[in-house]
Amino acid sequence: MEEVAQLHRELLEASHRYYVLDDPTLTDADYDTRLRRLEALEAKYPQLITSESPTQRVGAAPASGFEEVQHAVPMLSLNNAFDDDELRAFVQRAAKTLELGDAQDAGDELSFCCEPKLDGLAVSLIYENGVLVQGVTRGDGRTGEGITTNLRTIRSIPLKLRGDDLPELLEVRGEVYMSHAGFEALNARGRDEDGKVFANPRNAAAGSLRQLDSNIAASRPLEFCAYQVARVDDALLASEAGQNHSGLMALLNDYGFRTSPQLEVVRGAQGIIDYTRRLGEQRDGLDHDIDGAVIKLDALRLQRELGFVARAPRWAIAYKYPAQEQETTLEGVDFQVGRTGALTPVARLAPVQVAGVVVSNATLHNMDEVERLGVQIGDSVIIRRAGDVIPQVVRVASEGASREAIVLPDGCPVCGSEIERLEGEVVARCAGGLICAAQRKEALKHFSSRKALDVDGLGEKLIEQLIERELVKTPADLFHLEAATLAELPRMGEKSAANLVASLDKSRNTTLARFIYALGIREVGEATAANLATHFGTLEALRAADQAALEAVEDVGPIVAAHIHTFFQQPTNNETLEALLACGLSWEEVEIGERPQPLAGQTWVLTGSLDSMTRDEGKARLQALGAKVAGSVSKKTAGVVAGEAAGSKLEKAMQLGLTVLDEETFVKRLAEWESGADAQQDNPQDSAQANVQDSAQDSAGEDA
């Protein structure tokens, strides 16, 4: 089927540009639309499913074990070099064996291909006629484990090679690894979900690949970089590209593999030494771990002449950088307060050099991590530094003779407010959101944001200036700013200053729901703020509510109720509230239950753009009618409002057979609901939905 073939080409090209070239050509929505279309066609015509289809990257059912696979060409180790003299000796040995001479400069004309030594897990990939058929771990070098299903989930591994003139057989070797950002995100998720936390990216990559359930591997941020061609057709080796290692690496690029952007061809020992120094300077700025550089004689003919010794080739060597893990003593722990109020325990260490940098502080992440590590003050600990990631304590090396437990402080180290750590939560936080200096910038940004007090002209840069000059410490200080003072700030001017003061003055007249949202109480979003305003009617009633009264509000459970109650129990927060009210902030009284709630208990989704109102206005009107407005479509969605250029959410709603309203019908229904009409008159098959369904099907095209 031509459409299936076309979708294959488009999706494979998009995946290659996104995951290998870092140069995306399709938006996520466009990619998802094409992928869903392909899935639908393959479901209808199962005979069209092939192993290289983009739909086949998903995980499979757990395997019972990994089969042992004999390597056709052994995956051997490399000898190591640790200084410049050992690199010179390597080049001189190669020159002597090739009978180029015994002098120190005999190898100056030899070309070497140099690239980073990635710190991950080596694997071998076998392609037949351009299609991936097998993936194997290094194992002991002679025998590895077949992990094809897991490797197929890695998007930087091509399932089918690019191009037309493909070899009948190709065996590619490379490294599976994890970027720093991917590793940190994986560990953050593990801490949040009380799951596994990995010591370093290499362990995380190796552990992910050896999961019997490939769905686990599919959920991990794994990457692949090719570094060698182990087997290929003789015809390709006889070609110009097949004469050198660097030529084969360029060919792998053409086939769709990622190779190292730091790969270079240099001459002689001094060229190698200069390369390792340049790479060492770049090391901390790379987005992944490397533990050295790999140097290979570039000419494949000369590689064959040199051959192997014991378990290593004579034509290659690994230059190793200093270790990124060291042992030191934990001398104390300080607690830092982040911009969202999160308390992070920071280890004070006996200074130690790690990867060329003296480290005296390292993160312990949170108290759950402290407990997991079993670490106490006085212990000897292993710390790790990788790239620009903050040094972290990864394990206890030995317990100290005199140990002291690490405990949370009684109050916030910055403002003295209560420390809130609810049962089952990982992070402890300062409850002084409105006055804590550590949280000041985020609190002011949220308070003045469009969905809160909507102060036009108060951007992030200006807030930073106001804080730096100590003109604003709490939200109430905003309303005391004078145009003359603001005009003196860089890039402000008299007109901008006057406009900001006018906008602040206008924002004094708001709604109770907006004001509650603006306070930045943890987990109190727009919908919850609206529910609180409707339920209590006044700020005084809300401030006086106990835990039980708060839990009686729709969508407010024990955890959110505890956040709200704790917030209003802080004297400093209440002082700021009084200061805000003294600045003239006001709103119309909310009559409890004054408006009918015909959509209570229903979940609605807005997608596309609306002409008669903004999406936020549509959302607010639905919420006022009792609806919960979600960002994604599911079987539980009561209805979807489809505006202009509605995308994947509309398509999913059509697939699920949900009620879909176009804008004209939505506006009409809003008027009916708001006047008290029965929301149950909706019919999933009404004409509005039918019209939307027809147009969506027309745009999707016909099955070929």
Side-chain angles (χ1 to χ4, degrees), residues 162-180:
R162 295 161 57 83
D164 299 321
D165 188 18
L166 300 174
E168 292 184 10
L169 173 70
L170 176 69
E171 183 172 355
V172 177
R173 282 162 185 183
E175 203 84 0
V176 174
Y177 65 98
M178 226 176 251
S179 69
H180 294 153

Side-chain angles (χ1 to χ4, degrees), residues 393-570:
V393 176
V394 294
R395 63 183 180 277
V396 175
S398 61
E399 294 183 359
S402 176
R403 308 179 78 206
E404 179 186 343
I406 301 169
V407 296
L408 276 171
D410 294 331
C412 172
V414 176
C415 70
S417 295
E418 182 179 335
I419 301 299
E420 182 186 21
R421 189 187 185 205
L422 300 183
E423 185 177 351
E425 289 199 346
V426 173
V427 179
R429 297 178 189 269
C430 163
L434 291 180
I435 59 93
C436 183
Q439 304 174 64
R440 189 167 291 157
K441 176 182 170 182
E442 290 302 310
L444 291 171
K445 277 175 57 181
H446 179 80
F447 183 83
S448 58
S449 63
R450 182 167 54 86
K451 295 177 182 179
L453 268 289
D454 192 18
V455 181
D456 188 32
L458 188 60
E460 182 174 355
K461 297 292 186 184
L462 181 54
I463 288 174
E464 288 178 355
Q465 291 185 58
L466 294 173
I467 292 172
E468 287 172 4
R469 295 174 183 242
E470 297 188 346
L471 295 173
V472 173
K473 294 183 178 180
T474 73
D477 294 337
L478 291 170
F479 299 96
H480 296 290
L481 291 171
E482 297 179 351
T485 304
L486 291 168
E488 295 175 357
L489 298 175
R491 297 184 299 277
M492 272 299 286
E494 292 182 4
K495 185 175 181 180
S496 297
N499 288 340
L500 177 57
V501 170
S503 181
L504 283 164
D505 189 54
K506 180 181 176 182
S507 71
R508 297 174 200 261
N509 297 315
T510 183
T511 66
L512 179 57
R514 278 180 172 268
F515 183 76
I516 295 170
Y517 175 70
L519 298 178
I521 305 169
R522 287 186 61 201
E523 299 191 41
V524 175
E526 291 175 88
T528 303
N531 289 339
L532 290 168
T534 301
H535 185 91
F536 290 104
T538 66
L539 179 62
E540 291 72 20
L542 174 60
R543 292 168 70 177
D546 60 15
Q547 181 97 7
L550 290 165
E551 289 183 36
V553 180
E554 184 181 357
D555 286 339
V556 175
I559 292 177
V560 177
H563 291 324
I564 299 168
H565 188 257
T566 300
F567 179 90
F568 286 116
Q569 290 300 305
Q570 303 307 302

Side-chain angles (χ1 to χ4, degrees), residues 187-195 197 342-345 364-371 408 420-429 522 559:
N187 268 356
R189 191 170 72 214
R191 294 185 191 98
D192 290 344
E193 298 173 359
D194 199 23
V197 176
L343 265 70
T344 301
L364 285 162
H365 295 291
N366 53 57
M367 293 305 293
D368 277 10
E369 180 76 349
V370 170
E371 185 176 344
L408 276 171
E420 182 186 21
R421 189 187 185 205
L422 300 183
E423 185 177 351
E425 289 199 346
V426 173
V427 179
R429 297 178 189 269
R522 287 186 61 201
I559 292 177

